[in-house]
Amino acid sequence: MKASFILAWRALVRSHVLTLLLVATALAHAFLPALVRSDGTSAGWREMFVRAVPGAAYVFIAVTILACACGFFAQERERFRLSLTVVRPASAFGVALGKWLALCAVAAVALVFSAAITAFRLSDAPRCLHHHSPALPPAAECARSALAAYLADPKTPEAVRRAPRAAVLSLLTNKELDRYDVVRSGESFAWPFDASLASEPGLAVRARFATQFEVRSPFAGEFAFGGRTAPVAHSTQSSIDVPLAAATNAPAGQASSATLDLVFKNTGREIVMLRPRRDLELLTPADAFCWNLARATLQMLSTMAILAAFGMFLSAAVSRPVALFTAIVAVIVTMMAPSVVAQFPDEMNTKFTERFGLAISRAICTVTSTVSESEPISDLATDTCIEWLALARSIAVNVFALPAALLAASAFIVRRKPLAENS
Amino acid sequence: MSAPVIEISGLRKTFRDFWFRPVAEAVNGIDLVVEKGDVFGLLGPNGSGKSTTIKMVLGLLAPTGGSVKIFGLPPRSRAARARLGYLPELSYLHPFLTARETVMYYAGLSDLDRRTAKARTAELIEQVGLAENANRPVGGFSKGMARRVAFASALVSRPELLILDEPTSGLDPIGTREVKELIRRLAADGLTILVTSHQLFDMQDVCSRVAILSHGKVVGSGRVEDIVAAAADKRHALEDYFVERLGIQ
Ligand SMILES: Nc1ncnc2c1ncn2[C@@H]1O[C@H](COP(=O)(O)OP(=O)(O)OP(=O)(O)O)[C@@H](O)[C@H]1O
Ligand SMILES: [Mg+2]
């Protein structure tokens, strides 16, 4: 393992892959900020900057790592060197592991370099924020009980009863996720939140109003949570953060239970619509931007780890161009699958072929969920704290479990596949 | 009695294309035994199946039929791999590594500890005459120099069995002589060597036993001593034997 790590590291360094990555990262940091346009606020500028500069560096590093990985075994085989390696007693898994570690090390150097420049540039960025959603039961659970209620109702049409259960459930789950709560003028509405948040300093409410139809009607009202209140009045921005300040006249709420209600009182003339699962969050300050940047870097590195392992697996099986093509298609499919699934909520009314495609997309989503769900760049850009638990999960899956399986598979293929030597 | 170093019986290899149609019967039923201490010459015209046989001995290709045993073990077993060294037909080196790093790399793949690997590398670099160029990238080496690096790499793990595929191809007369010298010295140290070549004149000097391959079959084999003893022209004994055996086919 050590020998193949050193070999691969030297290959990457002496063929100037590492230099290329560092130079490209430096160039991105030098020239891309000039292109950043913002909405005038410092948060807006920071968001655009993070997406444009470290974001571009991240994509470039990922593509380079994938391209290198796709050539690792294939090139060795095409240049007849693989036979010299496999006749040695070293285990093929160890050889694969060494190569993979070298790729990860190169990616780590480039990512840390990019993060260091970012940290220097954004040294005045505020703390990142924990996001807390309402304490509602999972959407799938709501969908199941809704379905049970439908089926128990004798008036439910026969077509619904005969429809495939999974399709109905996914339809109901999507409905639940997009469910609007309507607050009429002069009325109040309450959503449960974790009661322990009430004692958090720096608590704020984030609300997105009527984003689905882009209706930005003027509205006014007041949020109240555990003795703290926040007045809101807005007409232009679709998403606003309002700090909750201690108010002497507000009721302390039912602090004894596990949840505490966030109450919105609509004092304006318009109806206010909010999707509790999408539009409403409580924010609490987390740690410094630099820590979030460090976690984002680790999350990016874990994506590199899985990309490297995947590319190496392909290159063990097929030639470099085929591996590269397959890898690119796989990455595109991974990125597209979630939106394919999201855009087909009404599964019952689709043709068989469409359902087939949907089933495949859903399977891809399941397999690649840990990769596609981690969004270090957009979390960093929006000051969203990357939670340790999510980070640990993505490291466990993308750095340990999946690469171990992929490397074992490539070692197996390297040993079994006859070496395409024609001399 | 311990197992022979290499034992090949009924070995066959048919290359097939993508649709599984046979393209070439490269090896067509070979039986061979290489004993400890032999310098065994596998001789034959181009395309007679020498390299294919060697690759099956190394476990790089799976036989279509028959069996290969090295030290009584299957060639793909780790224990068998730990005891052999291989010099391929062409020296496929990593161009960005220096000569020393190349040898160290193969030492690392052979599970030598660092101290031993370093000492062994230095010794071999000296032995193959690369001391002055040890720290140059091998990408810029001439054919003969590259061959020396490959030789040192094959020997770094102190193998008991050395498999050489055309060790003298592309070498000048001096280089050829040095390789012959090296083979003789290694044989004197008790190494078993399997070597393929077209240079019958050279093989006569170094081999203790030979087998002649033609169209994937053994058409003649024997001890070089006996072949020379039976020949009219002692200097060209092996060449005459080779031509005679191929003539029969
Ligand atoms: N990978 C392969 N695919 C198809 N046919 C092959 C392959 N490798 C070898 N052959 C065929 O098998 C036969 C034996 O080839 P082999 O390389 O073993 O010959 P050789 O004795 O080493 O020849 P040379 O002296 O030229 O090195 C040849 O007809 C060759 O075309
Ligand atoms: Mg050959």
Side-chain angles (χ1 to χ4, degrees), chain A residues 31-74:
Chain A
F31 294 110
L32 288 182
L35 304 177
V36 172
R37 296 279 171 271
S38 84
D39 57 2
T41 64
S42 75
W45 183 84
R46 203 167 52 245
E47 169 164 3
M48 292 310 292
F49 173 84
V50 170
R51 286 187 196 279
V53 183
Y58 172 49
V59 170
F60 185 77
I61 296 167
V63 170
T64 311
I65 291 294
L66 189 62
C68 289
C70 284
F72 255 16
F73 283 120

Coordinates of all heavy atoms in Angstrom, one line a residue, chain A residues 31-74:
Chain A
F31 N -9.1 36.1 -10.0 CA -9.8 36.8 -11.0 C -11.4 36.7 -10.9 O -12.1 37.6 -11.3 CB -9.4 36.3 -12.4 CG -8.0 36.7 -12.7 CD1 -7.0 35.7 -12.7 CD2 -7.6 38.0 -12.9 CE1 -5.7 36.1 -13.0 CE2 -6.3 38.4 -13.1 CZ -5.3 37.4 -13.2
L32 N -11.9 35.6 -10.4 CA -13.3 35.4 -10.3 C -14.0 36.5 -9.5 O -15.1 36.9 -9.8 CB -13.7 34.0 -9.9 CG -13.4 33.0 -11.0 CD1 -13.9 31.6 -10.5 CD2 -14.1 33.3 -12.3
P33 N -13.4 36.9 -8.3 CA -14.2 37.9 -7.5 C -14.6 39.1 -8.2 O -15.6 39.7 -7.9 CB -13.2 38.2 -6.4 CG -12.3 37.0 -6.3 CD -12.2 36.5 -7.6
A34 N -13.8 39.5 -9.3 CA -14.2 40.7 -10.1 C -15.6 40.5 -10.8 O -16.2 41.5 -11.1 CB -13.1 41.0 -11.1
L35 N -15.9 39.2 -11.0 CA -17.2 39.0 -11.7 C -18.4 38.9 -10.8 O -19.5 38.8 -11.2 CB -17.1 37.7 -12.5 CG -15.9 37.6 -13.5 CD1 -15.9 36.2 -14.1 CD2 -16.1 38.6 -14.5
V36 N -18.1 38.9 -9.4 CA -19.2 38.6 -8.5 C -20.1 39.9 -8.4 O -19.6 41.0 -8.2 CB -18.6 38.3 -7.1 CG1 -19.7 38.3 -6.1 CG2 -17.9 37.0 -7.1
R37 N -21.4 39.7 -8.7 CA -22.4 40.7 -8.6 C -23.2 40.4 -7.4 O -23.7 39.3 -7.2 CB -23.2 40.8 -9.8 CG -22.5 41.2 -11.1 CD -22.3 42.7 -11.1 NE -21.4 43.0 -12.2 CZ -20.0 43.1 -12.1 NH1 -19.5 42.8 -10.9 NH2 -19.3 43.4 -13.1
S38 N -23.5 41.4 -6.5 CA -24.4 41.0 -5.4 C -25.5 42.0 -5.3 O -25.7 42.9 -6.1 CB -23.5 41.1 -4.1 OG -23.5 42.4 -3.7
D39 N -26.4 41.7 -4.3 CA -27.6 42.6 -4.1 C -27.3 43.8 -3.3 O -28.2 44.5 -2.8 CB -28.7 41.7 -3.5 CG -28.3 41.1 -2.2 OD1 -27.2 41.4 -1.8 OD2 -29.1 40.4 -1.6
G40 N -26.0 44.0 -3.0 CA -25.7 45.2 -2.2 C -25.5 44.9 -0.7 O -24.8 45.6 0.0
T41 N -26.0 43.8 -0.2 CA -25.8 43.5 1.2 C -24.5 42.7 1.3 O -24.1 42.0 0.3 CB -26.9 42.6 1.8 OG1 -27.0 41.4 1.1 CG2 -28.3 43.3 1.6
S42 N -23.9 42.7 2.5 CA -22.7 41.9 2.6 C -23.0 40.4 2.6 O -22.2 39.6 2.1 CB -21.9 42.3 3.9 OG -22.5 41.8 5.0
A43 N -24.1 40.0 3.1 CA -24.5 38.6 3.1 C -24.7 38.1 1.7 O -24.2 37.1 1.3 CB -25.7 38.3 3.9
G44 N -25.3 39.0 0.9 CA -25.5 38.7 -0.5 C -24.2 38.6 -1.3 O -24.0 37.7 -2.1
W45 N -23.3 39.5 -1.0 CA -22.0 39.4 -1.7 C -21.3 38.2 -1.3 O -20.7 37.5 -2.1 CB -21.1 40.6 -1.3 CG -19.8 40.6 -2.0 CD1 -19.6 41.1 -3.3 CD2 -18.6 40.1 -1.6 NE1 -18.3 40.9 -3.7 CE2 -17.7 40.2 -2.6 CE3 -18.2 39.4 -0.4 CZ2 -16.3 39.8 -2.5 CZ3 -16.9 39.0 -0.3 CH2 -16.0 39.2 -1.4
R46 N -21.3 37.8 0.0 CA -20.6 36.6 0.5 C -21.2 35.4 -0.2 O -20.5 34.5 -0.6 CB -20.7 36.6 2.0 CG -19.7 35.7 2.6 CD -19.6 35.9 4.1 NE -20.9 35.7 4.7 CZ -21.6 36.7 5.3 NH1 -21.1 37.9 5.4 NH2 -22.8 36.4 5.9
E47 N -22.5 35.4 -0.3 CA -23.1 34.2 -0.9 C -22.6 34.0 -2.4 O -22.2 32.9 -2.8 CB -24.7 34.3 -0.9 CG -25.3 33.2 -1.8 CD -26.8 33.0 -1.5 OE1 -27.3 33.8 -0.7 OE2 -27.4 32.1 -2.1
M48 N -22.7 35.1 -3.1 CA -22.2 35.0 -4.5 C -20.8 34.7 -4.6 O -20.4 33.9 -5.5 CB -22.5 36.4 -5.2 CG -23.9 36.7 -5.4 SD -24.9 35.4 -6.1 CE -24.2 35.4 -7.8
F49 N -20.0 35.3 -3.7 CA -18.5 35.0 -3.7 C -18.3 33.5 -3.5 O -17.5 32.9 -4.2 CB -17.8 35.8 -2.7 CG -16.4 35.5 -2.5 CD1 -15.4 36.1 -3.3 CD2 -16.0 34.6 -1.5 CE1 -14.1 35.8 -3.2 CE2 -14.6 34.3 -1.4 CZ -13.7 34.9 -2.2
V50 N -18.9 33.0 -2.5 CA -18.6 31.5 -2.1 C -19.1 30.6 -3.3 O -18.4 29.7 -3.7 CB -19.4 31.1 -0.8 CG1 -19.3 29.6 -0.6 CG2 -18.7 31.9 0.4
R51 N -20.2 30.9 -3.9 CA -20.7 30.1 -5.0 C -19.7 30.2 -6.2 O -19.5 29.3 -6.9 CB -22.1 30.5 -5.4 CG -23.1 30.0 -4.4 CD -24.5 30.3 -5.0 NE -25.5 30.2 -3.9 CZ -26.0 29.0 -3.5 NH1 -25.6 27.9 -4.0 NH2 -26.9 29.0 -2.5
A52 N -19.3 31.4 -6.4 CA -18.5 31.6 -7.7 C -17.0 31.2 -7.5 O -16.5 30.6 -8.4 CB -18.5 33.1 -8.0
V53 N -16.4 31.5 -6.4 CA -14.9 31.3 -6.3 C -14.6 30.0 -5.7 O -14.1 29.1 -6.4 CB -14.3 32.5 -5.6 CG1 -12.8 32.3 -5.6 CG2 -14.6 33.8 -6.3
P54 N -14.8 29.7 -4.4 CA -14.5 28.4 -3.9 C -15.3 27.3 -4.6 O -14.9 26.2 -4.8 CB -14.8 28.4 -2.4 CG -15.0 29.9 -2.1 CD -15.3 30.6 -3.3
G55 N -16.5 27.7 -5.0 CA -17.4 26.8 -5.7 C -16.8 26.3 -7.0 O -16.8 25.2 -7.4
A56 N -16.2 27.3 -7.8 CA -15.6 27.0 -9.1 C -14.4 26.1 -8.8 O -14.1 25.1 -9.5 CB -15.2 28.2 -9.8
A57 N -13.6 26.5 -7.8 CA -12.4 25.7 -7.5 C -12.8 24.2 -7.2 O -12.1 23.3 -7.6 CB -11.6 26.3 -6.3
Y58 N -13.9 24.1 -6.4 CA -14.3 22.8 -6.0 C -14.7 21.9 -7.2 O -14.3 20.8 -7.3 CB -15.5 23.0 -5.1 CG -16.3 21.8 -4.7 CD1 -15.7 20.6 -4.2 CD2 -17.7 21.8 -4.8 CE1 -16.4 19.5 -3.8 CE2 -18.4 20.7 -4.4 CZ -17.8 19.5 -3.9 OH -18.5 18.4 -3.5
V59 N -15.4 22.5 -8.1 CA -15.9 21.8 -9.3 C -14.6 21.4 -10.1 O -14.5 20.3 -10.6 CB -16.8 22.6 -10.2 CG1 -17.1 22.0 -11.5 CG2 -18.1 22.8 -9.4
F60 N -13.7 22.3 -10.3 CA -12.5 22.1 -11.1 C -11.7 20.9 -10.4 O -11.2 20.0 -11.1 CB -11.6 23.3 -11.2 CG -10.5 23.1 -12.1 CD1 -10.6 23.1 -13.4 CD2 -9.2 22.9 -11.5 CE1 -9.5 22.9 -14.3 CE2 -8.1 22.7 -12.4 CZ -8.3 22.7 -13.7
I61 N -11.5 21.0 -9.1 CA -10.7 19.9 -8.4 C -11.4 18.6 -8.6 O -10.8 17.6 -8.9 CB -10.5 20.3 -6.9 CG1 -9.7 21.6 -6.8 CG2 -9.8 19.1 -6.2 CD1 -9.7 22.2 -5.4
A62 N -12.8 18.6 -8.5 CA -13.5 17.4 -8.6 C -13.4 16.7 -10.0 O -13.1 15.5 -10.1 CB -15.0 17.6 -8.3
V63 N -13.5 17.6 -11.0 CA -13.3 17.1 -12.4 C -11.9 16.5 -12.6 O -11.8 15.4 -13.2 CB -13.7 18.2 -13.4 CG1 -13.3 17.7 -14.8 CG2 -15.1 18.5 -13.3
T64 N -10.9 17.2 -12.1 CA -9.6 16.8 -12.3 C -9.3 15.4 -11.6 O -8.7 14.5 -12.2 CB -8.6 17.8 -11.8 OG1 -8.9 19.1 -12.3 CG2 -7.2 17.5 -12.2
I65 N -9.8 15.3 -10.4 CA -9.6 14.1 -9.6 C -10.3 12.9 -10.3 O -9.7 11.8 -10.4 CB -10.1 14.3 -8.1 CG1 -9.3 15.3 -7.4 CG2 -10.2 12.9 -7.4 CD1 -7.9 14.8 -7.1
L66 N -11.5 13.2 -10.8 CA -12.2 12.1 -11.5 C -11.5 11.7 -12.7 O -11.3 10.5 -13.0 CB -13.6 12.6 -11.8 CG -14.6 11.6 -12.3 CD1 -14.8 10.5 -11.3 CD2 -15.9 12.2 -12.7
A67 N -11.0 12.7 -13.5 CA -10.3 12.4 -14.7 C -9.0 11.5 -14.4 O -8.7 10.6 -15.1 CB -9.9 13.6 -15.4
C68 N -8.3 11.9 -13.4 CA -7.1 11.2 -13.0 C -7.4 9.8 -12.6 O -6.8 8.8 -13.0 CB -6.3 11.9 -11.9 SG -5.6 13.4 -12.3
A69 N -8.5 9.6 -11.8 CA -8.9 8.3 -11.3 C -9.2 7.4 -12.4 O -8.9 6.2 -12.4 CB -10.0 8.5 -10.3
C70 N -9.9 8.0 -13.4 CA -10.3 7.2 -14.5 C -9.2 6.6 -15.3 O -9.3 5.7 -16.1 CB -11.2 8.0 -15.5 SG -12.9 8.2 -14.8
G71 N -8.0 7.2 -15.2 CA -6.9 6.8 -15.9 C -6.0 5.8 -15.2 O -5.1 5.2 -15.7
F72 N -6.2 5.7 -13.8 CA -5.2 5.1 -13.0 C -4.9 3.7 -13.4 O -3.7 3.4 -13.7 CB -5.6 5.2 -11.5 CG -4.9 6.2 -10.7 CD1 -4.2 7.2 -11.4 CD2 -4.9 6.2 -9.4 CE1 -3.4 8.1 -10.7 CE2 -4.2 7.1 -8.7 CZ -3.5 8.1 -9.3
F73 N -5.8 2.8 -13.4 CA -5.6 1.4 -13.7 C -5.5 1.2 -15.2 O -4.7 0.5 -15.8 CB -6.6 0.5 -13.2 CG -6.4 0.2 -11.7 CD1 -7.4 0.6 -10.8 CD2 -5.3 -0.3 -11.2 CE1 -7.3 0.3 -9.5 CE2 -5.1 -0.6 -9.9 CZ -6.1 -0.2 -9.0
A74 N -6.4 2.0 -15.9 CA -6.5 1.8 -17.4 C -5.1 2.1 -18.0 O -4.7 1.3 -18.9 CB -7.6 2.7 -17.9

